[in-house]
Amino acid sequence: MRKPYLDNIRWGTVLLVLVYHVLYVFNASGVLGGIGGFYDVQYQDAPLYFVYPWFMVLLFVVAGISSRYALEKQPHKEFISARTRKLLVPSTLGLLVFQWITGYFNMAASGAFAYMGAVPGPILYLIMAVSGIGPLWFIQMLWLFSLLLVLLRKIDKNDKFYDMCGKAFGDKWGILPLLLLALFIWGAAQIGNVPVITTYRFGIYGIAYLLGYFVLSHEHVQETLEKFALPLGIAAVILGVAYVICYFGQNYTDAPILQNFFTNSYLWVAVLGILGCGKKCLNGTSKFSQYMTKASFGIYVTHYLPLIAAAYLLKTYTTLPALVIYLITAVCTFGGSVLLYEVIRRIPVLRWCVLGIKKKK
């Protein structure tokens, strides 16, 4: 059951990830992993605060919904095989084949090579490969959640829990039960968080994926979100502006911020609002949207290399104005990721290792 609005939300969020990373790599908010800001206070960092709480949660929710539709047509074995090729292979073998180059620039930007003089070449190569994981943490976690989902389906062979969720979030109470799911999101944000590496938040992302599968994939739930799209969208913008004002200047990836009730309420309203507005306004297709539906995964996988390479070289070896560096980095990120995707998908073996694309029969 292919729904254009979900495809459009997915690739639109991937483009948002690219914009986020262009701003993030030069952030002055104390978030680790960037190259460093241009000024002590950077108001261009405000969009980072606005989108960070919800944009990856949204991708996991959409992935959960899509998994429901996929499993209505695929047996478990075929589903896991496809997810392993598409998700696990690029985030493991792809590191050794391609992403180690990203790792090189990550380490160069952080000054790590100054401490690597005595490290043997093969060990250094493996360190660069691991350092090149970058945004691939998302597909690593998505693969694990796919395995968990199949296990849950084997336990609940007759789909009783899925049907129960559909009844619990029926039309009787309107939007209220869906809003109350923010409590589950808030609770999940407290658990399963890997220290230091703040992207690996197994609790909240796992719950988001399962809520997508068990709750938000129901047609009547999506219709409820469409019905309340406007108030949800307005509420999300208001909460987002308040969130930016409240936390601007602080490290927005710190646990006390990510785990508080305000953050998780805001992100859940934003996710529901985007799903509702998407169903209401984004159900059309065009040649561009069809291309992006096909290419967005590859763009996501490849985008960080041209981004970090351009940002590092421009920031380190030029004295260009900040605005010019931002613009050139953005052009390199968007253009470079599309170019890399188009080149790699045409090269046998490499396309399988990096993009999880199998040879057509």
Side-chain angles (χ1 to χ4, degrees):
M1 187 190 303
R2 195 104 199 173
K3 297 197 173 185
Y5 88 91
L6 290 175
D7 289 331
N8 292 334
I9 288 175
R10 184 187 295 108
W11 66 254
T13 307
V14 168
L15 293 184
L16 183 61
V17 170
L18 269 63
V19 174
Y20 169 85
H21 278 145
V22 170
L23 296 175
Y24 148 81
V25 79
F26 300 117
N27 84 86
S29 304
V31 181
L32 297 177
I35 292 177
F38 297 95
Y39 315 105
D40 293 335
V41 178
Q42 298 186 161
Y43 293 106
Q44 64 266 33
D45 288 352
L48 302 177
Y49 291 82
F50 189 84
V51 304
Y52 187 79
W54 54 262
F55 69 153
M56 298 310 294
V57 173
L58 176 63
L59 282 179
F60 279 108
V61 166
V62 171
I65 298 172
S66 301
S67 294
R68 176 66 197 185
Y69 301 150
L71 283 164
E72 289 176 347
K73 299 181 295 183
Q74 293 179 315
H76 290 160
K77 185 177 180 180
E78 185 178 338
F79 176 77
I80 290 300
S81 176
R83 290 301 184 273
T84 298
R85 171 178 52 82
K86 192 73 174 179
L87 303 174
L88 184 62
V89 171
S91 61
T92 52
L93 293 179
L95 300 179
L96 302 173
V97 174
F98 176 77
Q99 302 294 352
W100 67 270
I101 310 172
T102 304
Y104 168 83
F105 283 103
N106 279 333
M107 293 174 66
S110 66
F113 287 118
Y115 307 97
M116 297 286 179
V119 177
I123 302 299
L124 185 60
Y125 164 68
L126 292 176
I127 293 173
M128 287 191 294
V130 173
S131 300
I133 291 176
L136 299 190
W137 64 267
F138 167 67
I139 61 176
Q140 290 174 341
M141 294 181 70
L142 192 53
W143 180 75
L144 290 174
F145 297 153
S146 299
L147 297 184
L148 173 62
L149 179 59
V150 168
L151 176 61
L152 293 175
R153 280 174 58 90
K154 286 181 177 293
I155 295 172
D156 183 28
K157 294 181 180 179
N158 297 319
D159 249 358
K160 289 183 179 180
F161 185 69
Y162 178 79
D163 293 337
M164 185 175 69
C165 288
K167 293 176 181 177
F169 295 91
D171 300 330
K172 182 177 180 181
W173 301 103
I175 195 66
L176 181 60
L178 294 171
L179 290 174
L180 289 176
L181 286 174
L183 295 172
F184 284 87
I185 291 291
W186 176 47
Q190 314 306 312
I191 59 175
N193 301 310
V194 176
V196 182
I197 310 176
T198 56
T199 51
Y200 289 95
R201 304 174 66 206
F202 289 93
I204 189 170
Y205 293 139
I207 287 295
Y209 178 77
L210 294 177
L211 287 177
Y213 179 91
F214 285 107
V215 178
L216 297 170
S217 63
H218 289 277
E219 186 66 32
H220 66 269
V221 171
Q222 295 175 16
E223 290 172 355
T224 298
L225 292 177
E226 182 181 15
K227 180 180 178 181
F228 288 89
L230 183 58
L232 283 171
I234 293 172
V237 172
I238 292 173
L239 288 172
V241 171
Y243 184 84
V244 173
I245 294 172
C246 183
Y247 292 114
F248 186 79
Q250 301 180 52
N251 183 339
Y252 55 83
T253 65
D254 280 346
I257 295 178
L258 292 179
Q259 295 173 0
N260 70 42
F261 184 71
F262 177 31
T263 300
N264 291 278
S265 298
Y266 160 50
L267 78 83
W268 190 242
V269 171
V271 167
L272 296 182
I274 291 169
L275 290 174
C277 292
K279 183 167 175 56
K280 194 176 187 67
C281 305
L282 299 177
N283 249 324
T285 60
S286 64
K287 288 185 178 180
F288 177 73
S289 69
Q290 290 171 356
Y291 173 78
M292 288 302 301
T293 296
K294 179 182 71 172
S296 61
F297 177 82
I299 291 172
Y300 181 88
V301 168
T302 59
H303 81 275
Y304 209 75
L305 173 56
L307 183 150
I308 191 65
Y312 168 69
L313 295 173
L314 289 168
K315 186 81 161 41
T316 305
Y317 297 107
T318 76
T319 57
L320 293 171
L323 179 59
V324 175
I325 291 179
Y326 275 113
L327 292 174
I328 295 176
T329 302
V331 170
C332 290
T333 300
F334 284 83
S337 58
V338 172
L339 179 62
L340 283 170
Y341 163 71
E342 290 294 340
V343 170
I344 291 172
R345 77 181 184 90
R346 288 172 166 80
I347 303 175
V349 181
L350 190 60
R351 65 184 169 215
W352 183 79
C353 293
V354 179
L355 301 175
I357 298 176
K358 66 179 180 179
K359 181 181 179 180
K360 293 183 179 180
K361 295 182 180 179

mmCIF file of all heavy atoms in Angstrom, residues 213-228:
data_model
loop_
_atom_site.group_PDB
_atom_site.id
_atom_site.type_symbol
_atom_site.label_atom_id
_atom_site.label_comp_id
_atom_site.label_asym_id
_atom_site.label_seq_id
_atom_site.Cartn_x
_atom_site.Cartn_y
_atom_site.Cartn_z
ATOM 1 N N TYR A 213 4.237 1.600 13.431
ATOM 2 C CA TYR A 213 3.721 0.327 12.947
ATOM 3 C C TYR A 213 2.351 0.000 13.529
ATOM 4 O O TYR A 213 1.404 -0.315 12.792
ATOM 5 C CB TYR A 213 4.707 -0.794 13.287
ATOM 6 C CG TYR A 213 4.226 -2.161 12.842
ATOM 7 C CD1 TYR A 213 4.557 -2.647 11.585
ATOM 8 C CD2 TYR A 213 3.434 -2.952 13.667
ATOM 9 C CE1 TYR A 213 4.100 -3.890 11.157
ATOM 10 C CE2 TYR A 213 2.969 -4.187 13.256
ATOM 11 C CZ TYR A 213 3.305 -4.654 12.002
ATOM 12 O OH TYR A 213 2.844 -5.878 11.591
ATOM 13 N N PHE A 214 2.220 0.057 14.860
ATOM 14 C CA PHE A 214 1.014 -0.441 15.520
ATOM 15 C C PHE A 214 -0.128 0.569 15.578
ATOM 16 O O PHE A 214 -1.298 0.175 15.654
ATOM 17 C CB PHE A 214 1.346 -0.900 16.948
ATOM 18 C CG PHE A 214 2.083 -2.204 17.009
ATOM 19 C CD1 PHE A 214 3.431 -2.236 17.335
ATOM 20 C CD2 PHE A 214 1.446 -3.398 16.727
ATOM 21 C CE1 PHE A 214 4.114 -3.452 17.391
ATOM 22 C CE2 PHE A 214 2.116 -4.615 16.776
ATOM 23 C CZ PHE A 214 3.466 -4.642 17.110
ATOM 24 N N VAL A 215 0.184 1.864 15.550
ATOM 25 C CA VAL A 215 -0.866 2.871 15.733
ATOM 26 C C VAL A 215 -1.069 3.719 14.487
ATOM 27 O O VAL A 215 -2.171 3.790 13.930
ATOM 28 C CB VAL A 215 -0.534 3.786 16.940
ATOM 29 C CG1 VAL A 215 -1.601 4.870 17.087
ATOM 30 C CG2 VAL A 215 -0.431 2.967 18.228
ATOM 31 N N LEU A 216 -0.017 4.360 14.023
ATOM 32 C CA LEU A 216 -0.167 5.384 12.995
ATOM 33 C C LEU A 216 -0.329 4.828 11.586
ATOM 34 O O LEU A 216 -0.593 5.584 10.652
ATOM 35 C CB LEU A 216 1.024 6.339 13.051
ATOM 36 C CG LEU A 216 1.136 7.110 14.373
ATOM 37 C CD1 LEU A 216 2.455 7.855 14.461
ATOM 38 C CD2 LEU A 216 -0.029 8.071 14.546
ATOM 39 N N SER A 217 -0.193 3.520 11.424
ATOM 40 C CA SER A 217 -0.420 2.920 10.108
ATOM 41 C C SER A 217 -1.903 2.661 9.844
ATOM 42 O O SER A 217 -2.287 2.362 8.709
ATOM 43 C CB SER A 217 0.353 1.601 9.994
ATOM 44 O OG SER A 217 -0.112 0.654 10.939
ATOM 45 N N HIS A 218 -2.755 2.775 10.860
ATOM 46 C CA HIS A 218 -4.193 2.572 10.668
ATOM 47 C C HIS A 218 -4.785 3.728 9.854
ATOM 48 O O HIS A 218 -4.504 4.900 10.143
ATOM 49 C CB HIS A 218 -4.902 2.489 12.022
ATOM 50 C CG HIS A 218 -4.617 1.223 12.769
ATOM 51 N ND1 HIS A 218 -5.291 0.047 12.527
ATOM 52 C CD2 HIS A 218 -3.727 0.950 13.758
ATOM 53 C CE1 HIS A 218 -4.838 -0.902 13.343
ATOM 54 N NE2 HIS A 218 -3.880 -0.386 14.096
ATOM 55 N N GLU A 219 -5.605 3.393 8.892
ATOM 56 C CA GLU A 219 -6.165 4.399 8.004
ATOM 57 C C GLU A 219 -7.001 5.418 8.771
ATOM 58 O O GLU A 219 -6.916 6.626 8.508
ATOM 59 C CB GLU A 219 -7.029 3.720 6.932
ATOM 60 C CG GLU A 219 -7.549 4.670 5.862
ATOM 61 C CD GLU A 219 -6.440 5.251 5.005
ATOM 62 O OE1 GLU A 219 -5.424 4.557 4.777
ATOM 63 O OE2 GLU A 219 -6.574 6.413 4.575
ATOM 64 N N HIS A 220 -7.817 4.981 9.718
ATOM 65 C CA HIS A 220 -8.671 5.929 10.445
ATOM 66 C C HIS A 220 -7.850 6.862 11.335
ATOM 67 O O HIS A 220 -8.252 7.997 11.589
ATOM 68 C CB HIS A 220 -9.730 5.188 11.276
ATOM 69 C CG HIS A 220 -9.185 4.367 12.400
ATOM 70 N ND1 HIS A 220 -8.854 3.042 12.265
ATOM 71 C CD2 HIS A 220 -8.903 4.695 13.701
ATOM 72 C CE1 HIS A 220 -8.413 2.579 13.425
ATOM 73 N NE2 HIS A 220 -8.423 3.557 14.298
ATOM 74 N N VAL A 221 -6.687 6.394 11.812
ATOM 75 C CA VAL A 221 -5.805 7.262 12.599
ATOM 76 C C VAL A 221 -5.229 8.353 11.704
ATOM 77 O O VAL A 221 -5.170 9.535 12.087
ATOM 78 C CB VAL A 221 -4.679 6.445 13.257
ATOM 79 C CG1 VAL A 221 -3.638 7.363 13.892
ATOM 80 C CG2 VAL A 221 -5.250 5.498 14.311
ATOM 81 N N GLN A 222 -4.832 7.986 10.497
ATOM 82 C CA GLN A 222 -4.303 8.969 9.554
ATOM 83 C C GLN A 222 -5.380 9.978 9.157
ATOM 84 O O GLN A 222 -5.086 11.167 8.958
ATOM 85 C CB GLN A 222 -3.734 8.256 8.331
ATOM 86 C CG GLN A 222 -2.529 7.379 8.664
ATOM 87 C CD GLN A 222 -2.033 6.573 7.479
ATOM 88 O OE1 GLN A 222 -2.372 6.847 6.331
ATOM 89 N NE2 GLN A 222 -1.226 5.568 7.753
ATOM 90 N N GLU A 223 -6.607 9.514 9.050
ATOM 91 C CA GLU A 223 -7.704 10.432 8.734
ATOM 92 C C GLU A 223 -7.964 11.405 9.882
ATOM 93 O O GLU A 223 -8.293 12.585 9.652
ATOM 94 C CB GLU A 223 -8.968 9.626 8.425
ATOM 95 C CG GLU A 223 -8.894 8.874 7.106
ATOM 96 C CD GLU A 223 -10.060 7.932 6.897
ATOM 97 O OE1 GLU A 223 -10.897 7.795 7.834
ATOM 98 O OE2 GLU A 223 -10.159 7.324 5.809
ATOM 99 N N THR A 224 -7.804 10.939 11.112
ATOM 100 C CA THR A 224 -7.941 11.834 12.267
ATOM 101 C C THR A 224 -6.864 12.905 12.238
ATOM 102 O O THR A 224 -7.128 14.100 12.488
ATOM 103 C CB THR A 224 -7.848 11.035 13.585
ATOM 104 O OG1 THR A 224 -8.924 10.100 13.646
ATOM 105 C CG2 THR A 224 -7.915 11.959 14.790
ATOM 106 N N LEU A 225 -5.645 12.513 11.939
ATOM 107 C CA LEU A 225 -4.548 13.483 11.857
ATOM 108 C C LEU A 225 -4.799 14.494 10.738
ATOM 109 O O LEU A 225 -4.514 15.688 10.898
ATOM 110 C CB LEU A 225 -3.220 12.756 11.625
ATOM 111 C CG LEU A 225 -2.702 11.903 12.785
ATOM 112 C CD1 LEU A 225 -1.413 11.179 12.382
ATOM 113 C CD2 LEU A 225 -2.447 12.759 14.025
ATOM 114 N N GLU A 226 -5.329 14.031 9.623
ATOM 115 C CA GLU A 226 -5.660 14.950 8.530
ATOM 116 C C GLU A 226 -6.729 15.947 8.971
ATOM 117 O O GLU A 226 -6.653 17.144 8.648
ATOM 118 C CB GLU A 226 -6.143 14.161 7.321
ATOM 119 C CG GLU A 226 -6.476 15.023 6.118
ATOM 120 C CD GLU A 226 -6.965 14.213 4.949
ATOM 121 O OE1 GLU A 226 -7.315 13.029 5.132
ATOM 122 O OE2 GLU A 226 -7.019 14.766 3.821
ATOM 123 N N LYS A 227 -7.698 15.473 9.714
ATOM 124 C CA LYS A 227 -8.785 16.329 10.190
ATOM 125 C C LYS A 227 -8.274 17.438 11.099
ATOM 126 O O LYS A 227 -8.757 18.574 11.065
ATOM 127 C CB LYS A 227 -9.818 15.479 10.921
ATOM 128 C CG LYS A 227 -11.005 16.239 11.464
ATOM 129 C CD LYS A 227 -11.972 15.303 12.168
ATOM 130 C CE LYS A 227 -13.155 16.053 12.777
ATOM 131 N NZ LYS A 227 -14.076 15.130 13.494
ATOM 132 N N PHE A 228 -7.276 17.108 11.930
ATOM 133 C CA PHE A 228 -6.734 18.081 12.884
ATOM 134 C C PHE A 228 -5.402 18.670 12.411
ATOM 135 O O PHE A 228 -4.627 19.186 13.219
ATOM 136 C CB PHE A 228 -6.543 17.416 14.250
ATOM 137 C CG PHE A 228 -7.824 17.120 14.979
ATOM 138 C CD1 PHE A 228 -8.486 15.917 14.795
ATOM 139 C CD2 PHE A 228 -8.381 18.062 15.823
ATOM 140 C CE1 PHE A 228 -9.678 15.637 15.460
ATOM 141 C CE2 PHE A 228 -9.564 17.809 16.494
ATOM 142 C CZ PHE A 228 -10.217 16.598 16.311
#
